[in-house]
Amino acid sequence: MRGNAGAFHYRCYGSTLTIEKKKSAIRTGSRQQTGHAGLYRLKMLRFIFRRLIITIPTILVVITVTWGLIRLAPGNFYTGDKALPKAIEQNIREKYGLDRPWHEQYLRTMGQILRLDFGTSLKYEGKSVNEIIARSLPVSATVGILAYLLALIVGITVGSIAALKQNSKWDYASMTLAMLGISIPNFVLGPILVLFFSLTLYWLPPSRWDGFPSKSVILPVFTLSAIYMAYIARLTRAGMLEVLRSDYIRTARSKGLSETQIVIRHALRGGLLPVVSYTGPALAFLLTGTVVVERLFVLPGLGNYFIQATLNRDEPLIVGIVAFISMTLLTMNLLVDIAYGYLDPRIRQ
Amino acid sequence: MGVEAVDDYTVRISLSESVPYFTELVAHQIFRLVPRKVIEQYGARWTDEANIVTSGAFKLKSWKPYSEVVAERNPMYWDASSVRLDEIHFYTSTDQPTTMNLYKVGSADAVVSHSVPSAWLDVVRPKKDYMDAAEAAITYILINVTQPPMNDLRVRRAFNMSIDKINYAKARKITKPLSAFTPEGIFAGYSQPKGEGYDPDVARKLFGEAGYPVTQKPDGTYQCEKFPAEDVKFSFPTHSSNRALAEFMQAQWKQNLGITIMLSNLESKTYLAARSKLDYKGFALGIWGADYMDPTTFLNLFRTRGGENGSGWWDQKYVDLLDEANHTIDAQKRYALLAKAEQHLLDAQPMIPIETLAVNWVKKPYVKGLYPNPACLFAWKFVYIERDAAKWDYGTPSLTD
């Protein structure tokens, strides 16, 4: 419970509860934990089990719907400007089993997915979907994690300063920037940054991925991060303002604590509560790739492959990426819920 | 056609009929020789960096789909000593401005084929980086001739004659107006027939003859109340330049015939699937690039009924004319017969030719041996980087100056 403010947010969440419930609630909670450890563990397991039971059918439904939608979409992976002679089209359909009845194709796809083998890309013969995901996920995840960290650090810092110096020029300036950050979509922000930092100043590359660390990371990360940064800044400011007016801060002041101690120990922990519930799901989205930013900066990430695969009607790749993303999202959500369960006794009940 | 490997270094190809453009044809990637042993050994994975065996000046070093292909000098190439570059990095690009940005900041030394967006042309064209050439490719508008009112030849001719293609090409800046179905000025020695040009008066007259009289309103504009404009649409695959083209045509038809044709854009594969099944009303955009340097790569589009034909028009006489030409060994006579076939196609008007396209791209002044050409084929073995600044391309300032 003693993590400092910059550390992982779930710990902040826990300490917030300590403050808010004036320690009594948590004390009961922890007594319960020590007193009925076995019962608690059982409840937790049941909670996780229940969630898993919902998760698996959800993934299956997502995959089934995706699979069906690809079938409904006109055109095929071999559709091109040039029409194929009937015999050749027939050969291709036989080779990929497209001539089989739909339920056979469906069962085959599902069987593959259950074995976590997503098959081979139709457009890029010889490249397996697993290989493509393994290659593109690190790119998406790197950009996502960096954008997440940047958003947290900048957002919380700026938000706190704005709250502490409420109605000052700092406050107005940062909240104006935050408002801009929220209202300018990333497909507008990205090109503006490219125009300025790449094409005018020649400091940063305008697109492409040179790995991490490299200069090519900066613009995509910032573009992706901007809206989260702005949102977190506003959430932090609002949360802090509320906490700063509360009784226990006044108590802390009257006890003669230094302002720094008040801010870091007490105000920030309380003020971050809304941020925590926002950033959990945001991380899952950032990790699995964002189509717009990857398109804009030509990053070989999951989002970009996904778009290309859809345009190419590359069924195994589409299904593979959708399955992977939904598994990741649901797993992340499950982890977040489990963490909440640990932190907030009310959810466990 | 028969292909046999005579020995380790020789391939013999026997043809069943005369193909005067055969050497052009084998430049197409479909005719690349592939190693049977390697394919049998690795199956679909034979194209992996580690397995692939090729016979060109460069070989595959690495391949990241949607990102980058790296080719390196092939030491086993027969003419390896005259290959100048050690490695070529080919980048995947999504759109023209992104590609041009890479070039402008120096991440790419050349961006070939179609890289200069039309909005940049006025700025880029005077620079010494800039290169362009007519391309063996055309833009045309397919007409679904199976449904009224477009099954009437007079209506089709009227639509064609009410488009000012010269003005359209001016607006496009680099393309040339086209009245026939083969690109203009590409096939040396081929006397291309001419289709009907811009003539709105005749177009209105034809419309009237077809039962859709066009009348002039007091303010000088035209109207045509009888024409069933709701049965005609202009479909095209989603892209900003396609929309610009469609809007130009829409404005021309409004101005000259007094009718408003609705536009409909579709995602590219959806569009192609619909077009090949004639699942469109009225007009559909067509863009065709040559597979090989011969008029038949264009004229053959209307040889078959389905697929890339896309118009529903098919005529045995046209096929006979093409066959007759292809059985003619004398190149001049063959071209004359092909021109006759093309004229027959133009008379039937199952499409409206719009423009001969052009390649336009940029390269740094130190990149040598890279030239624009109508087929977008590049002899990479002759390309090199000139280290001596005195030998760089001279002229107007470069894009980054």
Side-chain angles (χ1 to χ4, degrees):
Chain A
M1 292 282 178
R2 257 178 215 290
N4 60 36
F8 206 49
H9 48 269
Y10 299 131
R11 299 175 70 182
C12 306
Y13 192 81
S15 44
T16 310
L17 285 173
T18 321
I19 298 159
E20 270 196 337
K21 305 285 173 207
K22 298 254 170 15
K23 294 191 175 163
S24 56
I26 276 296
R27 224 174 260 155
T28 355
S30 47
R31 202 176 295 147
Q32 209 177 333
Q33 272 180 39
T34 42
H36 310 281
L39 183 68
Y40 167 71
R41 214 168 286 136
L42 192 73
K43 271 186 177 169
M44 205 60 207
L45 276 177
R46 197 185 295 157
F47 170 76
I48 294 172
F49 185 69
R50 215 167 47 217
R51 289 300 309 260
L52 272 178
I53 285 183
I54 308 170
T55 301
I56 290 165
T58 312
I59 291 176
L60 289 181
V61 168
V62 168
I63 293 170
T64 307
V65 169
T66 312
W67 185 88
L69 284 176
I70 303 167
R71 257 127 250 250
L72 289 180
N76 225 318
F77 72 95
Y78 53 77
T79 311
D81 280 327
K82 221 173 285 280
L84 290 175
K86 280 269 174 290
I88 293 180
E89 187 181 339
Q90 191 52 39
N91 276 345
I92 292 178
R93 296 186 70 83
E94 268 169 34
K95 176 171 178 192
Y96 294 101
L98 296 171
D99 55 336
R100 318 292 306 162
W102 68 267
H103 57 268
E104 262 182 51
Q105 295 184 40
Y106 176 75
L107 288 178
R108 200 190 50 190
T109 308
M110 281 316 206
Q112 277 183 341
I113 288 167
L114 289 178
R115 292 192 304 273
L116 290 181
D117 162 25
F118 297 125
T120 310
S121 160
L122 297 176
K123 189 75 185 176
Y124 291 96
E125 246 193 281
K127 295 270 174 197
S128 78
V129 173
N130 290 16
E131 208 177 319
I132 291 177
I133 292 177
R135 203 197 281 268
S136 57
L137 179 68
V139 177
S140 296
T142 308
V143 175
I145 289 171
L146 290 176
Y148 181 71
L149 292 178
L150 184 69
L152 276 183
I153 294 167
V154 176
I156 291 173
T157 314
V158 170
S160 312
I161 293 173
L164 292 171
K165 305 198 184 273
Q166 196 193 0
N167 297 332
S168 72
K169 60 182 177 184
W170 294 104
D171 185 22
Y172 292 134
S174 52
M175 283 309 110
T176 309
L177 273 180
M179 207 56 226
L180 278 176
I182 289 172
S183 39
I184 299 179
N186 49 14
F187 57 84
V188 175
L189 179 66
I192 292 175
L193 293 175
V194 166
L195 183 63
F196 191 67
F197 290 101
S198 304
L199 301 177
T200 311
L201 296 172
Y202 294 106
W203 285 353
L204 300 168
S207 61
R208 295 193 50 75
W209 180 250
D210 296 328
F212 175 77
S214 76
K215 277 192 196 171
S216 69
V217 176
I218 300 173
L219 286 183
V221 166
F222 188 83
T223 308
L224 181 57
S225 181
I227 190 165
Y228 294 93
M229 225 187 264
Y231 214 85
I232 291 173
R234 287 178 61 84
L235 285 175
T236 310
R237 178 179 177 272
M240 287 279 279
L241 282 179
E242 210 180 309
V243 170
L244 283 171
R245 285 195 206 99
S246 60
D247 291 344
Y248 70 87
I249 295 289
R250 201 173 308 130
T251 314
R253 285 225 172 86
S254 64
K255 269 163 62 183
L257 289 180
S258 77
E259 197 60 26
T260 329
Q261 262 187 319
I262 294 172
V263 172
I264 292 178
R265 271 265 169 86
H266 302 287
L268 206 50
R269 288 182 183 179
L272 284 182
L273 183 58
V275 177
V276 169
S277 46
Y278 170 71
T279 51
L283 179 62
F285 279 106
L286 285 171
L287 276 182
T288 45
T290 48
V291 171
V292 175
V293 169
E294 287 181 10
R295 270 316 252 193
L296 211 52
F297 292 97
V298 202
L299 305 180
L302 269 181
N304 216 349
Y305 281 86
F306 184 45
I307 292 290
Q308 281 303 335
T310 319
L311 294 177
N312 290 336
R313 307 282 192 274
D314 193 340
E315 187 200 302
L317 192 51
I318 301 173
V319 171
I321 293 180
V322 167
F324 179 78
I325 291 182
S326 48
M327 281 177 203
T328 315
L329 279 178
L330 289 169
T331 314
M332 295 290 289
N333 282 350
L334 179 64
L335 288 179
V336 167
D337 284 348
I338 291 171
Y340 279 178
Y342 267 109
L343 293 167
D344 188 344
R346 285 169 304 178
I347 296 173
R348 282 205 298 269
Q349 295 305 316
Chain B
M1 196 168 104
V3 184
E4 60 178 314
V6 179
D7 58 44
D8 280 359
Y9 299 98
T10 317
V11 174
R12 180 187 293 134
I13 302 171
S14 331
L15 305 171
S16 58
E17 62 185 67
S18 136
V19 183
Y21 51 92
F22 185 73
T23 48
E24 314 278 351
L25 196 61
V26 287
H28 194 274
Q29 65 267 25
I30 274 185
F31 289 91
R32 291 284 177 276
L33 299 172
V34 291
R36 185 180 190 150
K37 258 186 265 172
V38 179
I39 296 172
E40 279 169 354
Q41 185 179 348
Y42 297 104
R45 298 203 74 96
W46 83 274
T47 51
D48 278 8
E49 301 79 318
N51 308 338
I52 193 166
V53 175
T54 50
S55 53
F58 293 89
K59 58 180 185 156
L60 183 68
K61 187 180 180 188
S62 70
W63 170 38
K64 296 176 197 152
Y66 306 131
S67 176
E68 183 184 47
V69 171
V70 182
E72 63 181 349
R73 183 204 294 271
N74 182 359
M76 302 302 286
Y77 182 57
W78 68 274
D79 194 15
S81 60
S82 52
V83 177
R84 316 270 305 251
L85 294 172
D86 293 324
E87 258 184 28
I88 311 173
H89 293 241
F90 295 96
Y91 293 161
T92 309
S93 73
T94 42
D95 57 21
Q96 288 179 323
T98 314
T99 316
M100 284 301 282
N101 290 347
L102 275 177
Y103 177 79
K104 191 162 185 265
V105 302
S107 303
D109 298 310
V111 282
V112 293
S113 294
H114 310 92
S115 46
V116 184
S118 51
W120 292 43
L121 261 178
D122 291 335
V123 179
V124 177
R125 207 194 307 235
K127 312 279 187 190
K128 66 183 164 196
D129 316 58
Y130 184 78
M131 306 227 138
D132 64 6
E135 190 183 3
I138 61 163
T139 309
Y140 59 104
I141 301 172
L142 278 165
I143 303 174
N144 185 349
V145 302
T146 60
Q147 286 170 9
M150 306 311 290
N151 56 358
D152 188 329
L153 176 61
R154 291 167 297 191
V155 174
R156 302 203 291 271
R157 284 176 63 203
F159 272 104
N160 176 39
M161 291 169 91
S162 48
I163 297 170
D164 184 351
K165 295 166 194 171
I166 297 173
N167 244 332
Y168 176 69
K170 268 188 199 148
R172 290 266 282 144
K173 289 176 184 156
I174 57 161
T175 61
K176 284 189 286 185
L178 180 67
S179 73
F181 193 65
T182 50
E184 207 178 307
I186 296 290
F187 306 116
Y190 179 66
S191 52
Q192 187 190 41
K194 288 273 168 286
E196 289 171 317
Y198 179 54
D199 196 338
D201 286 328
V202 176
R204 284 187 285 270
K205 208 170 129 258
L206 284 168
F207 241 51
E209 284 170 19
Y212 313 114
V214 182
T215 51
Q216 195 161 21
K217 288 194 280 189
D219 62 356
T221 60
Y222 293 97
Q223 63 177 4
C224 180
E225 282 169 350
K226 282 209 163 160
F227 187 80
E230 65 282 356
D231 291 342
V232 178
K233 268 206 289 189
F234 189 169
S235 308
F236 54 93
T238 308
H239 193 277
S240 55
S241 67
N242 293 346
R243 174 161 288 279
L245 179 143
E247 282 171 355
F248 184 93
M249 304 308 152
Q250 188 185 40
Q252 291 279 293
W253 292 327
K254 175 76 189 162
Q255 180 193 318
N256 295 322
L257 298 173
I259 49 174
T260 304
I261 302 298
M262 299 306 283
L263 307 183
S264 140
N265 60 320
L266 294 165
E267 185 267 336
S268 130
K269 290 234 173 189
T270 312
Y271 170 79
L272 286 172
R275 197 183 75 182
S276 67
K277 283 186 290 185
L278 291 183
D279 187 11
Y280 70 94
K281 289 173 167 182
F283 302 106
L285 184 66
I287 297 172
W288 191 259
D291 292 328
Y292 50 90
M293 293 310 247
D294 187 79
T296 49
T297 186
F298 293 91
L299 300 178
N300 281 348
L301 288 181
F302 291 96
R303 190 193 174 92
T304 47
R305 277 174 197 275
E308 59 229 19
N309 177 322
S311 70
W313 178 84
W314 189 84
D315 188 347
Q316 184 61 48
K317 192 184 165 202
Y318 179 70
V319 176
D320 292 343
L321 280 168
L322 286 180
D323 284 344
E324 193 189 342
N326 283 333
H327 293 131
T328 307
I329 293 178
D330 182 276
Q332 274 307 314
K333 276 187 197 150
R334 177 173 173 273
Y335 266 4
L337 285 165
L338 286 178
K340 211 172 141 191
E342 184 170 3
Q343 185 62 57
H344 185 72
L345 173 68
L346 293 174
D347 290 343
Q349 197 101 59
M351 48 70 212
I352 299 173
I354 299 294
E355 60 186 344
T356 302
L357 290 166
V359 291
N360 64 333
W361 46 274
V362 287
K363 68 166 189 62
K364 302 283 182 187
Y366 52 77
V367 177
K368 297 286 200 168
L370 201 58
Y371 303 103
N373 60 82
C376 302
L377 294 171
F378 300 99
W380 294 105
K381 66 182 269 196
F382 298 121
V383 179
Y384 64 101
I385 302 282
E386 179 58 66
R387 308 273 168 201
D388 181 0
K391 290 181 185 163
W392 289 0
D393 294 346
Y394 286 103
T396 43
S398 81
L399 189 58
T400 36
D401 284 345

